Amino acid sequence: MPALSLDHYNVYCADLEATVRFYERYVGLTNGDRPPFPFPGAWMYAGDKAILHLISESGRTDQGSGAIDHIAINCADIRGTLDQIKQDGLPFEVKKVPARPLQQVFVHDPDGVMIELNFWHEEDVAELQGYDPMSNKITAEKQKVPA
């Protein structure tokens, strides 16, 4: 039985409203239709697909394995994304993948889940100046990038 694709991921969140706002503002997902479950939650959509299920106050005591390092989402408009993140003072990290036309922005959601925003085939942003993707470090003195 071959896997076809990832359907969705689920996050247990302490503050449903703040978590919905985060994914709308920084990831570009849309809060959409959700079945009438007997506990608070939200389904966050990328286009017509609910890729993130949020659950809050479900009464469950176990919260999953905790073994997942991060979730990666393909996005567009790295410059606009970074401008919004900087405007709001959200901590972030920018990286470039070696030998691929891929820039990544890493942020954490309100519950500490690391989110990797992938931007394929976009012009390199100034925040990568001096970044060496092979060492994953700034190798030259990084110039101050205007906020």
Side-chain angles (χ1 to χ4, degrees):
M1 134 176 56
L4 300 176
S5 69
L6 178 67
D7 188 76
H8 69 275
Y9 67 104
N10 187 92
V11 171
Y12 287 94
C13 56
D15 185 334
L16 180 62
E17 191 174 305
T19 304
V20 167
R21 278 195 316 269
F22 171 89
Y23 283 97
E24 287 176 331
R25 187 167 184 90
Y26 303 112
V27 183
L29 299 180
T30 304
N31 187 3
D33 185 49
R34 175 180 179 261
F37 293 113
F39 48 84
W43 281 14
M44 306 299 297
Y45 285 75
D48 61 357
K49 174 76 176 136
I51 65 167
L52 167 59
H53 296 178
L54 299 174
I55 295 177
S56 180
E57 302 171 30
S58 69
R60 280 183 59 177
T61 55
D62 60 327
Q63 302 298 315
S65 69
I68 303 238
D69 180 70
H70 66 274
I71 304 297
I73 301 171
N74 288 323
C75 298
D77 188 18
I78 189 171
R79 179 74 271 144
T81 300
L82 286 171
D83 290 348
Q84 184 67 64
I85 286 170
K86 287 178 168 186
Q87 177 184 327
D88 295 346
L90 185 69
F92 69 95
E93 187 173 3
V94 181
K95 295 182 179 184
K96 185 165 178 72
V97 176
R100 298 289 184 277
L102 174 59
Q103 297 172 86
Q104 303 168 312
V105 177
F106 292 87
V107 294
H108 287 85
D109 82 359
D111 291 284
V113 177
M114 185 173 10
I115 307 298
E116 174 187 309
L117 306 175
N118 285 328
F119 299 88
W120 287 89
H121 304 284
E122 293 194 21
E123 184 177 333
D124 283 359
V125 292
E127 287 82 356
L128 285 170
Q129 185 174 355
Y131 177 78
D132 175 25
M134 294 304 290
S135 68
N136 194 28
K137 295 179 182 175
I138 301 294
T139 56
E141 181 152 335
K142 186 175 182 177
Q143 293 180 350
K144 183 102 174 147
V145 177

